[in-house]
Amino acid sequence: SIPVAKQLASIKALGQGSDLEKAFATVALVYNNNADSEGKLSRAETKSLLQTQFWHFTQGQENKPKYQEIISDLDEEPENKIDFEDFMMTLVMLTLMSDLLQEIKNVKTTK
């Protein structure tokens, strides 16, 4: 398998892309690299991907009711698959509730 950084570098349109464009392209590549032939992830694969690729954001969130609700939803109806839109919505929800988001907000920038 080709590393995501190398895949990202091969996308000509992103050569001069912004950091935000590259961030979303990275999410899409990680999703696509794990999706099935229909372009979807099983709920178990989604949970695993979040635990391995997004753990800095989910770390320490286990006792929050919203986190438990999100993860519980992934444990239910395993035959139902997650499309990219649902995956992105899950990422956004986990990001918004993350303790790491507050740390990111507090980062000082210099010009």
Side-chain angles (χ1 to χ4, degrees):
S1 119
I2 300 169
V4 171
K6 192 169 186 174
Q7 289 177 309
L8 190 62
S10 73
I11 302 171
K12 195 173 189 177
L14 291 177
Q16 299 297 320
S18 69
D19 291 341
L20 190 56
E21 289 171 322
K22 289 176 182 175
F24 272 87
T26 299
V27 172
L29 286 169
V30 168
Y31 178 89
N32 289 338
N33 288 343
N34 289 279
D36 63 16
S37 60
E38 296 174 349
K40 295 185 178 188
L41 291 174
S42 73
R43 290 177 176 273
E45 289 167 325
T46 301
K47 185 176 177 180
S48 175
L49 189 60
L50 292 171
Q51 291 171 335
T52 59
Q53 293 285 321
F54 212 61
W55 72 276
H56 285 99
F57 279 89
T58 60
Q59 180 177 333
Q61 306 307 302
E62 298 84 4
N63 294 325
K64 291 183 177 180
K66 187 64 179 172
Y67 176 86
Q68 291 173 352
E69 179 185 329
I70 292 167
I71 296 305
S72 162
D73 286 347
L74 293 176
D75 289 334
E76 294 176 11
E77 303 177 43
E79 67 279 355
N80 289 346
K81 294 190 175 186
I82 304 289
D83 62 15
F84 184 67
E85 181 179 319
D86 289 337
F87 182 75
M88 289 299 292
M89 295 300 291
T90 302
L91 280 180
V92 169
M93 288 187 294
L94 290 172
T95 300
L96 290 173
M97 64 182 285
S98 172
D99 295 335
L100 182 56
L101 183 60
Q102 190 58 48
E103 186 178 332
I104 292 167
K105 287 180 180 178
N106 291 334
V107 169
K108 303 293 181 212
T109 57
T110 58
K111 293 188 180 193

